[in-house]
């Protein structure tokens, strides 16, 4: 349980963290804003959201006119997820090409959950997560240091960004299978994003630039076991839109 500090100099609660009020003629208390602000800052620090994404929220999610329907749908799914949490049983898996807003929406969800509902959240890029687990591995004890893996297993809501960024190997598949199976069994919510096509049919429909090759679907990269588990854990939200960063660059010239 996270201990929330209060502002000892707060003129409203006097450092207790509870603001006095009156309801129906009876004296009561509610959480003071100073305590909520301290809680929000602590949650944000623990969530490991990269600095470049700290300002992402629903209000600043740009819906481009040529992709309006797909982006509005994804934004609606994200907002509804926050509203329904924790009764929502499944997480979300955002799929789409790079630059369509998958990470933006994922971070916006985490921030809303922390600010509105005090939910502990954690954000990890897939490659960074695997690297930290691998770096902490002890070949003598055949185990990984708990300070790396335990938060990923037990935090209420974990977001793994850019799933499948690493080529599949037995170790990668075993590691991500272990993480997702544990979270699934413990009924912990998981959010994921991936730039990879979900199926070979979608792979053929991607840009003919040659960026993707056979073997570059999500299932190819994470393995059948993991992809099968994701069907049970997450609702798939596919975003069919142009690269926002490239669009902005083109409009600036």
């Amino acid at each position: 349980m996270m201990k929330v500090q209060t502002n000892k100099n707060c003129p409203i609660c006097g450092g207790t963290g509870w603001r006095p009020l009156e309801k129906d003629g009876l004296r009561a208390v509610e959480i003071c804003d100073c305590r909520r602000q301290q809680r929000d800052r602590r949650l944000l620090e623990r969530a490991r959201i990269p600095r470049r994404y700290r300002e992402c929220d629903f209000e600043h999610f740009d819906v481009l006119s040529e992709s309006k329907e797909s982006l509005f749908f994804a934004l609606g799914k994200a907002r509804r997820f926050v509203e329904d949490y924790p009764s929502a049983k499944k997480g979300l898996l955002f799929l789409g090409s790079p630059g369509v807003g998958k990470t933006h929406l994922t971070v916006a969800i985490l921030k809303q959950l922390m600010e509105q509902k005090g939910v502990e959240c954690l954000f990890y890029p897939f490659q960074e997560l695997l690297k930290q687990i691998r770096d902490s591995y002890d070949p003598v004890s055949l185990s990984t240091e708990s300070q790396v893996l335990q938060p990923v297993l037990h935090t209420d809501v974990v977001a793994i960004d850019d799933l499948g960024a690493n080529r599949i190997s037995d170790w990668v598949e075993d590691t991500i299978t272990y993480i997702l199976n544990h979270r699934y069994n413990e009924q912990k919510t998981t959010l994921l994003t991936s730039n990879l096509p979900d199926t070979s049919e979608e792979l053929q429909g991607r840009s003919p630039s040659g960026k993707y090759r056979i073997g570059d679907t999500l299932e190819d990269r994470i393995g059948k076991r993991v992809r099968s588990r994701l069907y049970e854990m997450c609702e798939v939200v596919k975003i069919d839109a142009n690269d926002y960063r490239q669009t902005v660059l083109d409009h600036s010239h």
Side-chain angles (χ1 to χ4, degrees), residues 9 19-20 44 61 100 112 116 136 141 146 154-156 173 189 196 198 205 211 213 233 239 241:
N9 298 318
R19 182 171 71 89
L44 186 61
F61 183 71
V100 298
Q112 287 288 291
Q116 293 185 5
S136 71
S141 63
S146 61
H154 299 295
T155 300
D156 290 334
E173 185 174 5
T189 300
L196 297 168
D198 197 19
K211 180 177 180 180
R213 305 182 299 275
M233 294 180 64
I239 305 179

Side-chain angles (χ1 to χ4, degrees), residues 7-8 12 24 26 50 110-111 114 140 163 173 181 222 247:
N7 181 1
K8 296 180 180 179
I12 298 175
D24 301 325
L26 299 175
L110 298 185
K111 289 174 63 178
M114 290 186 287
V140 177
L163 183 67
E173 185 174 5
N181 277 343
I222 63 176
T247 301

Side-chain angles (χ1 to χ4, degrees), residues 93-96 126 162-168 176 192-200 202-203 206 212-213 215-228 230-231 236 238:
L93 168 58
F94 290 105
L95 297 178
F126 184 59
D162 205 6
L163 183 67
N166 285 55
R167 291 283 180 179
I168 188 66
I176 196 65
L192 303 115
T193 77
S194 179
N195 295 329
L196 297 168
D198 197 19
T199 65
S200 57
E202 291 178 26
L203 176 67
R206 286 283 179 96
Y212 296 100
R213 305 182 299 275
D216 275 344
T217 65
L218 183 58
E219 183 176 298
D220 293 330
R221 289 287 188 92
I222 63 176
K224 290 184 178 181
R225 285 183 297 165
V226 179
R227 187 64 191 93
S228 176
L230 291 183
Y231 282 117
V236 175
K238 295 182 180 179

Side-chain angles (χ1 to χ4, degrees), residues 80-239:
R80 200 169 308 117
F81 178 85
V82 174
E83 292 171 2
D84 293 343
Y85 185 87
S87 60
K89 299 303 181 184
K90 285 189 172 185
L92 297 176
L93 168 58
F94 290 105
L95 297 178
S97 300
V100 298
K102 303 181 301 296
T103 303
H104 185 124
L105 285 177
T106 300
V107 170
I109 290 172
L110 298 185
K111 289 174 63 178
Q112 287 288 291
L113 289 175
M114 290 186 287
E115 293 170 6
Q116 293 185 5
K117 302 188 176 184
V119 179
E120 287 207 61
C121 299
L122 183 64
F123 178 96
Y124 255 111
F126 184 59
Q127 286 184 313
E128 181 181 340
L129 173 60
L130 293 179
K131 183 179 185 304
Q132 289 198 11
I133 294 174
R134 191 190 298 272
D135 289 348
S136 71
Y137 183 73
D138 184 348
V140 177
S141 63
L142 299 179
S143 63
T144 295
E145 292 183 16
S146 61
Q147 61 261 37
V148 174
L149 196 52
Q150 292 306 306
V152 181
L153 297 177
H154 299 295
T155 300
D156 290 334
V157 178
V158 168
I160 301 177
D161 191 42
D162 205 6
L163 183 67
N166 285 55
R167 291 283 180 179
I168 188 66
S169 68
D170 289 343
W171 182 82
V172 169
E173 185 174 5
D174 288 346
T175 299
I176 196 65
T177 298
Y178 173 67
I179 291 171
L180 294 180
N181 277 343
H182 188 281
R183 294 189 60 77
Y184 177 79
N185 291 333
E186 295 300 316
Q187 296 184 311
K188 299 290 186 179
T189 300
T190 309
L191 306 173
L192 303 115
T193 77
S194 179
N195 295 329
L196 297 168
D198 197 19
T199 65
S200 57
E201 289 77 12
E202 291 178 26
L203 176 67
Q204 296 171 3
R206 286 283 179 96
S207 170
S209 63
K211 180 177 180 180
Y212 296 100
R213 305 182 299 275
I214 299 301
D216 275 344
T217 65
L218 183 58
E219 183 176 298
D220 293 330
R221 289 287 188 92
I222 63 176
K224 290 184 178 181
R225 285 183 297 165
V226 179
R227 187 64 191 93
S228 176
R229 176 61 78 208
L230 291 183
Y231 282 117
E232 301 173 89
M233 294 180 64
C234 298
E235 179 180 356
V236 175
V237 180
K238 295 182 180 179
I239 305 179

